[in-house]
Amino acid sequence: MKLPSLRRVPLPTSSSPSLAQSLHIWARNASNESALLRASLSLGLFQALPREPTSAPLSVEALAHQLGASVRGTRALLELLLCMGLVRMDDARGYTLSSSIAALLDDAGFHARLQAERPWWHPMGRLDEALQQGGPVVEDADSWDVLGHYRELFLDPTKVSTSAEAEDFFDRFARGAARTQLLITVGRLGVLDALASGPQSLTRLGETTKLSVEGLRVVLEVMATLGLVREEAGVWDLTADARPLLEGKALAYLVRALSVSSRYWEALGRLDETVRTEHFILDLKDPETSRRFYADNSQQITAVFATHFQLGRKAVETLAQVRPLERAQVLDIGTGSGVWGAAFARATPTTQVTYFDQDVVLEQVRTNLERLKVAERARFWPGDLLTHDFGEQAFDVIVLPQVLNVLRPESLPGLFARVSRALKPDGVLLIAEYVLNERRDGPLEHLYFGLRRFMTNEGDLLSASEYAHLLKDVGLTASVCLPLPTQELILATRSGVPLPSRLAA
Ligand SMILES: C[S@@+](CC[C@H](N)C(=O)[O-])C[C@H]1O[C@@H](n2cnc3c(N)ncnc32)[C@H](O)[C@@H]1O
């Protein structure tokens, strides 16, 4: 049995990344990581995994069966644990627990410390109330001293683990999510805005934000441990490193990212339940939840329009290397803000683009298209992509940008069949997606994104060969996967039709 070498993903606090990188992790993935570790512990996944190197590895299916849990959910946890280096996988996709993690979790004292941390997730989600009241919050008829818990986690020098590895694990398990929630809260309650406006005393900050001074003191002291603020002679100010990250556009961007993270908090806290039973706490397949989420999400997508427009343009230029786009009929399915279709519309003055999405989402697309002066060539097509008939041999290019990951895996073959039918004989399908590597153990950001898709009753992320396999089944026998800066581009077509072999320069 050949085991891959151990790869550790550096902790924000352990390998001195820049403050900007740390802030990025705290705002997004830190709470995902804590939820992953908590769910793995409470489901008994760590205990069920065979210990390397003595026990024989187990498949995802065998482990899911042993836990009485969903295979997809168990896989979503395992692939992340593998990427983090806590779990190993052999060539037959059998999993074992790393011996050092096994030893750590066998320590009864450490295990008890982790268990004691678990119930704090939901009370921590009410840090805003604790700050407003300056005291404990009531959850399930119990009183939870959330501010006291923050003090214990971050400010109590006596609470240190026995080894660097234990400290590292505990930090990811407990403090990661606590950092995300703290940032969500100070963003939402205007503390970051107030600090950006200039140095001030605690009393003045309390007056501006209408929050408890005692609560603010704890929060600021925790923020000081993160290198975000500092105190001098009773006056609190952003640190020189933090100021450019917490002002103006950078602050607005961060607060938006935090607001997205906050929408997953409840579901992350109950991840074990979802992995066990596929009961989805934030169920985006529920029409009402989906309408609300995506109506809100399209504003988020609009906010990152410029970045995605650049990706779209790169894809257009890449395709234009092998086929002209004059008079091309393009269909953008799951268009969101319209950004990918708009990139095609801007390719030539004669390219015609059809924008397909739920009607509530399409309402916001026109403004973006007008701004780019391509609205007059736009056709809007509202519908449900799970059942819609896109026609026969109607389009030169069909784009599926960032949409497959929201679909349950069983709906992909049917969608691909309808898309293939709607493509002209020499038509090209263009998929922009987070494509996993062939071992399905990275990239890390993609895996966290995939975990959230599972949690919300949406799709699975696939590798390039998994996509190629599905596309071959509907006659799109040729495909290439090209890396864009933050995601991947898959181009697929019928045999004999040229495809680009590299991204446009
Ligand atoms: C993650 S967004 C991607 C938006 C855009 N393509 C982009 O790359 O920015 C997924 C889009 O798929 C749409 N969508 C999801 N399920 C759908 C369905 N059943 N029918 C139509 N549109 C759907 C959503 O409304 C949303 O706009």
Side-chain angles (χ1 to χ4, degrees):
M1 176 180 56
K2 196 169 139 252
L3 285 173
S5 59
L6 186 76
R7 283 185 301 125
R8 299 286 297 167
V9 177
L11 254 191
T13 49
S14 67
S15 64
S16 51
S18 70
L19 187 60
Q21 288 167 321
S22 297
L23 206 53
H24 176 87
I25 294 169
W26 298 332
R28 292 170 183 79
N29 286 344
S31 55
N32 298 331
E33 186 173 76
S34 292
L36 160 77
L37 297 178
R38 284 168 198 244
S40 303
L41 188 79
S42 74
L43 281 162
L45 178 58
F46 288 129
Q47 295 85 328
L49 275 159
R51 308 296 172 94
E52 57 138 17
T54 46
S55 313
L58 282 180
S59 67
V60 178
E61 291 77 11
L63 282 162
H65 180 73
Q66 203 169 315
L67 300 178
S70 123
V71 171
R72 283 182 69 210
T74 307
R75 190 187 329 109
L77 301 185
L78 279 170
E79 289 172 349
L80 267 161
L81 295 172
L82 177 65
C83 183
M84 289 164 66
L86 308 184
V87 156
R88 318 263 179 129
M89 185 182 77
D90 68 7
D91 292 343
R93 305 197 81 84
Y95 290 89
T96 45
L97 185 65
S98 116
S99 53
S100 58
I101 296 301
L104 201 59
L105 295 172
D106 284 345
D107 177 331
F110 186 67
H111 198 265
R113 193 173 169 213
L114 298 179
Q115 292 289 7
E117 190 53 39
R118 276 182 45 211
W120 280 100
W121 188 281
H122 298 292
M124 276 200 311
R126 296 172 61 189
L127 177 61
D128 51 356
E129 275 172 59
L131 261 177
Q132 279 153 347
Q133 297 160 14
V137 298
V138 177
E139 170 96 13
D140 290 337
D142 285 326
S143 175
W144 298 83
D145 181 7
V146 177
L147 293 166
H149 190 60
Y150 266 90
R151 215 179 285 117
E152 191 180 314
L153 278 179
F154 291 94
L155 306 172
D156 183 347
T158 64
K159 293 278 169 33
V160 181
S161 307
T162 46
S163 70
E165 190 153 36
E167 186 57 22
D168 177 283
F169 193 98
F170 184 78
D171 194 88
R172 296 170 188 238
F173 189 95
R175 296 192 198 101
R179 289 185 187 101
T180 307
Q181 187 54 241
L182 182 122
L183 290 172
I184 289 171
T185 307
V186 293
R188 185 189 291 153
L189 297 182
V191 179
L192 293 180
D193 285 325
L195 287 166
S197 72
Q200 53 202 297
S201 70
L202 208 50
T203 318
R204 171 134 168 260
L205 194 58
E207 283 162 9
T208 320
T209 57
K210 308 214 174 349
L211 298 173
S212 123
V213 168
E214 268 323 295
L216 277 171
R217 187 192 306 282
V218 175
V219 161
L220 288 173
E221 284 179 9
V222 174
M223 287 174 73
T225 68
L226 306 182
L228 298 174
V229 294
R230 63 192 190 93
E231 189 236 29
E232 207 178 313
V235 174
W236 287 90
D237 195 5
L238 296 174
T239 61
D241 284 348
R243 185 157 286 285
L245 308 172
L246 294 177
E247 280 184 336
K249 274 190 183 168
L251 176 59
Y253 182 77
L254 176 72
V255 169
R256 260 199 316 274
L258 289 166
S259 132
V260 173
S261 294
S262 75
R263 293 157 71 187
Y264 290 97
W265 186 264
E266 167 77 9
L268 281 172
R270 294 167 63 183
L271 180 59
D272 50 351
E273 192 181 323
T274 304
V275 171
R276 197 185 299 281
T277 61
E278 291 208 11
H279 167 61
F280 300 99
I281 311 304
L282 175 64
D283 185 352
L284 294 180
K285 287 292 166 276
D286 169 59
E288 203 31 55
T289 312
S290 167
R291 277 176 80 84
R292 253 186 292 116
F293 188 92
Y294 282 120
D296 198 14
N297 200 44
S298 68
Q299 283 161 16
Q300 171 71 13
I301 295 168
T302 301
V304 291
F305 195 95
T307 321
H308 285 192
F309 189 62
Q310 292 310 326
L311 294 181
R313 282 180 51 150
K314 179 64 86 181
V316 170
E317 287 160 16
T318 297
L319 185 57
Q321 293 178 123
V322 293
R323 65 180 299 141
L325 291 168
E326 280 83 11
R327 281 174 291 284
Q329 287 290 339
V330 178
L331 171 62
D332 175 1
I333 302 179
T335 189
S337 61
V339 64
W340 282 78
F344 273 91
R346 288 285 294 247
T348 85
T350 55
T351 313
Q352 298 287 333
V353 181
T354 301
Y355 300 83
F356 182 94
D357 210 303
Q358 313 180 62
D359 50 0
V360 64
V361 175
L362 287 180
E363 281 162 24
Q364 305 192 33
V365 176
R366 183 175 287 279
T367 324
N368 291 331
L369 301 186
E370 277 166 0
R371 199 158 35 84
L372 288 166
K373 303 195 181 359
V374 293
E376 74 284 358
R377 278 183 286 128
R379 180 179 157 223
F380 297 99
W381 209 3
D384 181 352
L385 63 81
L386 294 176
T387 52
H388 199 85
D389 181 353
F390 299 110
E392 194 173 350
Q393 300 195 4
F395 296 98
D396 298 280
V397 181
I398 297 183
V399 196
L400 287 167
Q402 285 294 316
V403 66
L404 300 179
N405 63 65
V406 309
L407 307 180
R408 297 261 320 174
E410 59 272 18
S411 52
L412 293 192
L415 174 63
F416 284 152
R418 282 177 284 123
V419 162
S420 174
R421 182 170 164 272
L423 277 174
K424 292 182 183 172
D426 64 346
V428 174
L429 169 64
L430 190 151
I431 296 171
E433 261 308 333
Y434 296 113
V435 180
L436 295 185
N437 65 25
E438 289 302 321
R439 271 177 58 82
R440 295 185 54 91
D441 65 350
L444 180 69
E445 292 271 348
H446 288 19
L447 290 169
Y448 278 128
F449 182 83
L451 178 69
R452 288 198 297 272
R453 301 286 66 78
F454 163 72
M455 260 168 49
T456 48
N457 197 11
E458 298 182 289
D460 284 344
L461 299 195
L462 303 183
S463 66
S465 64
E466 287 170 326
Y467 274 119
H469 187 77
L470 287 172
L471 294 167
K472 214 172 175 177
D473 285 348
V474 297
L476 302 176
T477 49
S479 64
V480 290
C481 179
L482 305 172
L484 287 171
T486 51
Q487 50 192 269
E488 285 72 29
L489 193 63
I490 289 183
L491 295 137
T493 190
R494 298 193 171 88
S495 152
V497 181
L499 284 178
S501 55
R502 63 173 71 94
L503 285 180

